[in-house]
Coordinates of all heavy atoms in Angstrom, one line a residue:
E138 N -9.2 27.2 -14.3 CA -8.5 26.6 -13.1 C -9.4 26.7 -11.9 O -10.2 27.6 -11.7 CB -7.3 27.5 -12.9 CG -6.3 26.8 -12.0 CD -4.9 27.1 -12.4 OE1 -4.6 27.4 -13.5 OE2 -4.1 27.1 -11.4
Y139 N -9.3 25.6 -11.1 CA -10.1 25.5 -9.8 C -11.5 25.1 -10.1 O -12.3 25.1 -9.2 CB -10.1 26.7 -9.0 CG -8.7 27.1 -8.5 CD1 -8.0 28.2 -9.1 CD2 -8.1 26.5 -7.5 CE1 -6.8 28.6 -8.7 CE2 -6.9 26.9 -7.0 CZ -6.3 27.9 -7.7 OH -4.9 28.3 -7.4
D140 N -12.0 24.7 -11.3 CA -13.3 24.1 -11.5 C -13.4 22.8 -10.7 O -12.3 22.2 -10.4 CB -13.5 23.7 -12.9 CG -13.9 25.0 -13.7 OD1 -14.1 26.0 -13.2 OD2 -14.0 24.8 -14.9
V141 N -14.6 22.5 -10.2 CA -14.8 21.3 -9.4 C -15.7 20.4 -10.1 O -16.6 20.8 -10.8 CB -15.4 21.7 -8.0 CG1 -15.7 20.6 -7.2 CG2 -14.4 22.6 -7.2
R142 N -15.6 19.1 -9.8 CA -16.6 18.1 -10.4 C -16.6 16.9 -9.4 O -15.7 16.8 -8.6 CB -16.3 17.6 -11.8 CG -14.9 16.8 -11.8 CD -14.5 16.4 -13.2 NE -13.4 15.5 -13.2 CZ -12.9 15.0 -14.3 NH1 -13.3 15.3 -15.5 NH2 -11.8 14.3 -14.2
L143 N -17.7 16.2 -9.5 CA -17.9 15.0 -8.7 C -17.9 13.8 -9.8 O -18.5 13.9 -10.7 CB -19.3 14.9 -8.0 CG -19.4 16.1 -7.0 CD1 -20.8 16.0 -6.4 CD2 -18.3 16.2 -6.0
V144 N -17.1 12.8 -9.5 CA -16.9 11.7 -10.4 C -17.0 10.4 -9.7 O -16.9 10.2 -8.5 CB -15.6 11.7 -11.2 CG1 -15.5 13.0 -12.1 CG2 -14.4 11.6 -10.2
D145 N -17.4 9.4 -10.4 CA -17.6 7.9 -10.1 C -18.6 7.7 -8.9 O -18.5 6.8 -8.2 CB -16.2 7.4 -9.6 CG -15.3 7.2 -10.8 OD1 -15.7 7.2 -12.0 OD2 -14.0 7.1 -10.5
G146 N -19.6 8.6 -8.8 CA -20.6 8.4 -7.9 C -21.9 7.8 -8.5 O -22.0 7.7 -9.8
P147 N -22.9 7.6 -7.8 CA -24.1 6.9 -8.4 C -25.1 8.0 -9.1 O -26.0 7.6 -9.7 CB -24.9 6.3 -7.1 CG -24.4 7.3 -6.0 CD -22.9 7.6 -6.3
S148 N -24.7 9.1 -8.9 CA -25.5 10.3 -9.5 C -24.7 11.5 -9.7 O -23.6 11.6 -9.2 CB -26.8 10.6 -8.6 OG -26.3 11.4 -7.5
P149 N -25.2 12.5 -10.5 CA -24.3 13.7 -10.7 C -24.1 14.5 -9.4 O -23.2 15.2 -9.3 CB -25.2 14.5 -11.7 CG -26.0 13.6 -12.4 CD -26.3 12.5 -11.4
Q150 N -25.0 14.3 -8.4 CA -24.9 15.0 -7.1 C -23.9 14.3 -6.2 O -23.7 14.8 -4.9 CB -26.3 15.1 -6.4 CG -27.3 15.7 -7.1 CD -28.3 14.8 -8.0 OE1 -27.7 14.0 -8.8 NE2 -29.5 15.1 -7.8
A151 N -23.4 13.2 -6.4 CA -22.5 12.4 -5.5 C -21.4 11.9 -6.2 O -21.4 11.4 -7.4 CB -23.3 11.2 -4.9
G152 N -20.1 11.9 -5.6 CA -18.9 11.3 -6.2 C -17.7 11.8 -5.5 O -17.6 12.8 -4.6
R153 N -16.6 11.3 -6.0 CA -15.2 11.9 -5.6 C -15.1 13.2 -6.0 O -15.4 13.6 -7.3 CB -14.1 10.9 -6.2 CG -12.8 11.2 -5.8 CD -11.7 10.2 -6.2 NE -11.7 10.1 -7.7 CZ -12.3 9.0 -8.3 NH1 -12.9 8.1 -7.7 NH2 -12.3 9.0 -9.6
V154 N -14.5 14.1 -5.2 CA -14.3 15.5 -5.5 C -13.1 15.7 -6.3 O -12.0 15.2 -5.8 CB -14.3 16.4 -4.2 CG1 -14.0 17.9 -4.6 CG2 -15.6 16.3 -3.5
E155 N -13.1 16.3 -7.4 CA -11.8 16.5 -8.2 C -11.8 18.0 -8.5 O -12.9 18.6 -8.8 CB -11.9 15.7 -9.5 CG -11.7 14.2 -9.1 CD -11.4 13.4 -10.5 OE1 -11.4 14.0 -11.5 OE2 -11.1 12.2 -10.2
I156 N -10.6 18.6 -8.6 CA -10.5 20.0 -9.0 C -9.5 20.1 -10.2 O -8.7 19.2 -10.4 CB -10.0 20.9 -7.9 CG1 -8.6 20.4 -7.4 CG2 -10.9 20.9 -6.7 CD1 -7.9 21.6 -6.6
F157 N -9.7 21.1 -11.0 CA -9.0 21.3 -12.2 C -7.9 22.3 -11.9 O -8.2 23.5 -11.5 CB -9.8 21.8 -13.4 CG -9.1 21.8 -14.7 CD1 -8.9 20.5 -15.4 CD2 -8.6 22.9 -15.2 CE1 -8.3 20.5 -16.5 CE2 -7.9 22.9 -16.5 CZ -7.8 21.7 -17.1
H158 N -6.6 22.0 -11.9 CA -5.4 22.8 -11.7 C -4.4 22.5 -12.6 O -4.1 21.3 -12.8 CB -5.0 22.6 -10.2 CG -3.8 23.4 -9.9 ND1 -3.7 24.9 -9.8 CD2 -2.6 22.9 -9.6 CE1 -2.6 25.2 -9.6 NE2 -1.8 24.2 -9.4
D159 N -3.7 23.5 -13.2 CA -2.5 23.3 -14.0 C -2.8 22.4 -15.1 O -2.1 21.4 -15.3 CB -1.3 22.8 -13.1 CG 0.0 23.1 -13.7 OD1 0.0 23.8 -14.7 OD2 1.0 22.3 -13.4
N160 N -3.9 22.5 -15.8 CA -4.4 21.7 -17.0 C -4.7 20.2 -16.7 O -4.6 19.4 -17.5 CB -3.3 21.7 -18.1 CG -3.3 23.2 -18.6 OD1 -4.4 23.9 -18.9 ND2 -2.2 23.7 -18.9
S161 N -4.9 19.8 -15.4 CA -5.3 18.4 -15.1 C -6.3 18.4 -13.9 O -6.3 19.3 -13.2 CB -4.1 17.6 -14.8 OG -3.5 18.0 -13.6
W162 N -7.1 17.3 -14.0 CA -8.0 17.1 -12.8 C -7.2 16.3 -11.8 O -6.5 15.4 -12.1 CB -9.3 16.3 -13.4 CG -10.1 17.1 -14.1 CD1 -10.2 17.1 -15.6 CD2 -11.1 18.0 -13.7 NE1 -11.3 18.0 -15.8 CE2 -11.8 18.6 -14.8 CE3 -11.5 18.4 -12.4 CZ2 -12.8 19.5 -14.6 CZ3 -12.5 19.4 -12.3 CH2 -13.1 19.9 -13.4
G163 N -7.5 16.6 -10.6 CA -6.8 15.9 -9.5 C -7.8 15.8 -8.2 O -8.8 16.5 -8.2
T164 N -7.4 15.0 -7.2 CA -8.2 14.8 -6.1 C -7.8 15.7 -5.0 O -6.9 16.5 -5.0 CB -8.2 13.3 -5.7 OG1 -6.9 12.9 -5.4 CG2 -8.6 12.4 -6.8
I165 N -8.7 15.6 -3.9 CA -8.5 16.4 -2.6 C -8.2 15.4 -1.6 O -9.1 14.5 -1.4 CB -9.5 17.3 -2.3 CG1 -9.6 18.3 -3.3 CG2 -9.3 18.0 -1.0 CD1 -10.8 19.3 -3.2
C166 N -7.2 15.4 -0.7 CA -7.0 14.5 0.5 C -7.9 14.9 1.5 O -8.3 16.0 1.7 CB -5.5 14.7 0.8 SG -5.0 13.5 2.2
D167 N -8.3 13.8 2.3 CA -9.3 14.1 3.4 C -8.7 14.7 4.7 O -9.4 15.0 5.6 CB -9.9 12.7 3.7 CG -9.0 11.8 4.3 OD1 -7.9 11.9 4.5 OD2 -9.5 10.5 4.5
N168 N -7.4 15.0 4.7 CA -6.8 15.8 5.9 C -7.6 17.1 6.0 O -7.7 17.9 5.1 CB -5.4 16.1 5.6 CG -4.5 14.8 5.7 OD1 -5.1 13.7 6.2 ND2 -3.3 14.9 5.1
T169 N -8.1 17.4 7.2 CA -8.8 18.6 7.6 C -10.1 18.7 6.9 O -10.9 19.8 7.1 CB -8.0 19.9 7.3 OG1 -8.0 20.2 5.9 CG2 -6.6 19.9 8.0
W170 N -10.6 17.7 6.1 CA -11.9 17.8 5.5 C -13.1 17.8 6.5 O -13.1 16.9 7.5 CB -12.1 16.7 4.5 CG -13.3 16.7 3.6 CD1 -14.5 16.1 3.9 CD2 -13.5 17.6 2.5 NE1 -15.3 16.4 2.9 CE2 -14.8 17.3 2.0 CE3 -12.6 18.3 1.7 CZ2 -15.4 17.8 0.8 CZ3 -13.2 18.9 0.5 CH2 -14.5 18.7 0.1
S171 N -14.1 18.7 6.2 CA -15.2 18.6 7.2 C -16.4 19.0 6.3 O -16.4 19.2 5.1 CB -15.0 19.6 8.3 OG -15.1 20.9 7.8
S172 N -17.6 19.1 7.0 CA -18.9 19.5 6.4 C -18.7 21.0 5.7 O -19.4 21.2 4.8 CB -20.0 19.5 7.3 OG -19.8 20.2 8.4
T173 N -17.9 21.7 6.3 CA -17.7 23.1 5.8 C -17.1 23.1 4.5 O -17.6 23.8 3.5 CB -16.7 23.8 6.8 OG1 -17.3 24.0 8.1 CG2 -16.6 25.4 6.3
E174 N -16.1 22.3 4.2 CA -15.5 22.2 2.8 C -16.5 21.5 1.9 O -16.6 21.9 0.7 CB -14.1 21.5 2.9 CG -13.0 22.1 3.6 CD -13.1 22.3 5.1 OE1 -13.6 21.3 5.7 OE2 -12.5 23.2 5.7
A175 N -17.2 20.6 2.3 CA -18.2 19.9 1.6 C -19.3 20.9 1.1 O -19.8 20.9 0.0 CB -18.9 18.7 2.3
E176 N -19.7 21.8 2.1 CA -20.7 22.8 1.7 C -20.2 23.7 0.6 O -21.0 24.1 -0.3 CB -21.1 23.6 2.9 CG -22.0 22.8 3.9 CD -22.2 23.6 5.2 OE1 -21.9 24.8 5.2 OE2 -22.5 22.9 6.2

């Protein structure tokens, strides 16, 4: 639970952020998102 991955980007280092929760992968909404969360 809470594993993170990047998908659909041009390289393994870039992509849409997805987290694993409750046996499924899902996305994170951009509300309150900043460089701190990205770090």
